[in-house]
Amino acid sequence: MLDTTDLTTAVERLADRLRAAPQSRLQRGAAAEGLELARELARRAQLVEKPDTAPLIMPDAGMFAVADQVTVAGMDLAEALRTAAPEGGTPAAERTAELAEAVALVRAAAARAGF
């Protein structure tokens, strides 16, 4: 199984910062950045779990829910990557690369949000 600690740690850190952010900071773009990240993480998780099905788009639940959306989407992706069985001999290196890319996405979103 793949160790997804780096992803879960990065997701939890960003979600905590979003929860602690004042409304003004969320309105200035941090919430939008978080929602965009949550949607991308959710899309990736769905593609890992059901590669032949079109992913659904995570709805906008409002700026005060975005931290929870980031958490749910990030943890879903971590679990999907951690437990995914290699399809048709797909090497574990592909999942490892996907994990590294997801961690980079979370860190980049945090930087753009000013955290």
Side-chain angles (χ1 to χ4, degrees), residues 18-98:
L18 286 165
R19 283 185 191 96
Q23 182 175 353
S24 60
R25 184 176 220 166
L26 294 173
Q27 289 173 325
R28 285 193 310 264
E33 193 63 51
L35 178 60
E36 183 178 330
L37 174 66
R39 285 177 171 169
E40 179 59 19
L41 295 176
R43 183 189 73 79
R44 288 170 181 252
Q46 291 175 66
L47 289 174
V48 169
E49 292 172 342
K50 297 179 182 178
D52 297 329
T53 304
L56 302 173
I57 298 173
M58 181 176 280
D60 183 346
M63 79 173 96
F64 299 115
V66 74
D68 293 333
Q69 289 180 293
V70 168
T71 300
V72 169
M75 297 304 165
D76 282 353
L77 178 56
E79 186 64 13
L81 290 172
R82 190 178 69 75
T83 60
E87 302 265 337
T90 302
E94 189 173 308
R95 288 184 297 143
T96 301
E98 177 73 22

